[in-house]
């Protein structure tokens, strides 16, 4: 079944641009146990760490929200550990298309296969975007080796969502399990944004310790947006808090990083920020409607 959105954008209260499918119906998880446990400890998650597509649908339907869902394919970087299937995620999202929006993920370390899968995920399964995590997937996103991947995404009008900044995956483990933070420096993505002006890009998270870089890129490049997931708003860098209520109010998107952070906790803390009232509906829903083409 190919995904087509049936979301009632007038009735949903918010669109969470950043949620994770961490397990399939056969109990296969996207990360190995050590990495799952380390990230759960880092975030002190209060809900089960490995939601399925059905779990996410029920959770967001109960809250009258919509959500973008995805996994991360880091097969090569994780020594052959396969992800949850993006094809299965898209098929199951089609069964819950009143609340869910599927993104795909491919292993960039195998560029030719990645390009082929992007074409298939877009054409046959109807995914709306692609998720990349340069640190976890172990690649420099500015390297031209990976440009055919972005070309394929642009060809199909797919939104590209890139993890930026600190990651809780590998946090607290010796050497961070070999995961290199510098691959998630958003300045590497400025090259991509400049070379692919037709490619819609979202810089995920507040990009700590590079928040100023993300603010600069999103201000400079019309095709670049920022999602606010992965951090409680009370911990946002102050310059980001100022920017999202003013010059970036049409360039920032609500995201929780569920199951690592719940939307309830995020919204509760966001309401304590001194954000201009006119910016809130843009951030919570209207910008996402425009970016996702809903």
């Amino acid at each position: 079944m190919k995904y087509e959105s049936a979301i009632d954008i007038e009735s949903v209260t918010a669109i969470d641009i950043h949620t994770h499918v961490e397990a399939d119906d056969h109990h296969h998880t996207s990360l190995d146990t050590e990495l799952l446990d380390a990230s759960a400890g880092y975030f002190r998650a209060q809900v089960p760490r490995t939601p399925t597509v059905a779990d996410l649908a029920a959770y967001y339907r109960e809250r009258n929200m919509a959500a973008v869902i995805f996994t991360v394919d880091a097969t090569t970087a994780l020594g052959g550990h396969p992800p949850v299937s993006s094809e299965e995620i898209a098929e199951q999202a089609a069964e819950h298309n009143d609340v869910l929006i599927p993104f795909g993920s491919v292993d960039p370390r195998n560029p030719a296969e990645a390009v082929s899968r992007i074409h298939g995920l877009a054409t046959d399964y109807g995914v709306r975007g692609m998720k990349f995590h340069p640190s976890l997937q172990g690649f420099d996103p500015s390297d031209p080796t990976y440009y055919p991947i972005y070309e394929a995404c642009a060809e199909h009008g797919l939104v590209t969502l890139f993890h930026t900044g600190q990651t809780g995956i590998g946090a607290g483990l010796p050497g961070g399990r070999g995961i290199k933070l510098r691959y998630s420096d958003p300045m590497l993505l400025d090259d991509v944004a400049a070379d692919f002006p037709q490619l819609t890009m979202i810089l995920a998270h507040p990009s700590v310790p590079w928040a100023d870089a993300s603010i600069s890129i999103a201000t400079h490049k019309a095709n670049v947006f920022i999602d606010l997931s992965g951090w409680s708003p009370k911990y946002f860098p102050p310059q980001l808090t100022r920017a999202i209520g003013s010059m970036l109010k049409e360039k920032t998107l609500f995201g929780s990083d569920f199951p690592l952070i719940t939307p309830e906790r995020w919204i509760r803390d966001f309401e304590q920020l001194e954000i201009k009232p006119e910016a809130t509906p843009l951030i919570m829903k209207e910008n996402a409607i425009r970016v996702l083409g809903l």
Side-chain angles (χ1 to χ4, degrees):
M1 182 186 302
K2 183 176 179 179
Y3 176 84
E4 292 185 8
S5 175
I7 295 168
D8 184 345
I9 60 173
E10 298 299 329
S11 67
V12 294
T13 60
I15 298 173
D16 189 337
I17 202 78
H18 197 120
T19 76
H20 291 266
V21 179
E22 296 286 15
D24 63 21
D25 295 338
H26 306 290
H27 308 291
H28 173 74
T29 57
S30 60
L31 298 172
D32 59 52
T33 301
E34 183 180 46
L35 289 176
L36 281 173
D37 290 347
S39 62
Y42 177 83
F43 283 98
R44 299 184 179 91
Q46 301 299 308
V47 294
R49 179 67 181 83
T50 53
T52 63
V53 172
D55 293 334
L56 289 167
Y59 187 91
Y60 281 90
R61 190 176 290 119
E62 181 179 333
R63 287 154 180 80
N64 194 29
M65 296 180 184
V68 171
I69 65 170
F70 48 74
T71 190
V72 177
D73 186 339
T75 303
T76 300
L78 293 180
H81 182 89
V84 176
S85 167
S86 287
E87 288 80 3
E88 288 185 12
I89 288 173
E91 287 180 331
Q92 292 175 27
E95 299 172 7
H96 301 284
N97 63 349
D98 59 318
V99 289
L100 300 182
I101 303 159
F103 276 25
S105 183
V106 294
D107 184 359
R109 299 275 293 275
N110 191 340
E113 180 181 335
V115 168
S116 176
R117 287 194 65 214
I118 288 169
H119 290 310
L121 284 164
T123 302
D124 300 331
Y125 293 90
V127 301
R128 291 297 186 92
M130 299 298 299
K131 160 70 173 181
F132 299 96
H133 193 312
S135 290
L136 180 60
Q137 293 173 313
F139 79 109
D140 176 346
S142 68
D143 188 327
T145 299
Y146 308 109
Y147 274 27
I149 293 174
Y150 311 139
E151 290 170 359
C153 290
E155 177 182 338
H156 293 284
L158 299 179
V159 176
T160 53
L161 176 63
F162 290 87
H163 173 95
T164 65
Q166 167 79 331
T167 180
I169 300 174
L173 297 176
R177 264 285 294 271
I179 294 169
K180 297 177 180 178
L181 298 180
R182 69 181 178 88
Y183 289 148
S184 291
D185 181 341
M187 286 308 298
L188 298 175
L189 296 169
D190 186 63
D191 288 19
V192 181
D195 293 340
F196 293 90
Q198 74 279 31
L199 182 67
T200 299
M201 300 171 61
I202 301 174
L203 310 180
H205 316 310
S207 302
V208 174
W210 300 295
D212 288 323
S214 281
I215 293 169
S216 178
I217 297 166
T219 304
H220 188 251
K221 304 290 193 297
N223 53 320
V224 175
F225 299 80
I226 294 174
D227 93 28
L228 301 171
S229 67
W231 290 67
S232 163
K234 67 182 178 181
Y235 298 123
F236 284 176
Q239 65 271 37
L240 179 63
T241 300
R242 290 192 299 270
I244 66 177
S246 56
M247 61 183 178
L248 290 182
K249 66 183 179 183
E250 295 184 346
K251 300 294 293 287
T252 47
L253 308 158
F254 159 55
S256 66
D257 214 7
F258 187 82
L260 299 170
I261 295 177
T262 65
E264 290 91 343
R265 176 191 174 190
W266 192 99
I267 292 171
R268 182 178 66 245
D269 292 345
F270 182 76
E271 289 173 345
Q272 302 306 309
L273 300 180
E274 295 182 1
I275 300 293
K276 294 178 181 178
E278 63 267 24
T280 297
L282 295 171
I283 293 168
M284 297 304 299
K285 184 172 78 168
E286 292 173 21
N287 293 339
I289 290 172
R290 177 165 45 89
V291 170
L292 296 171
L294 296 178

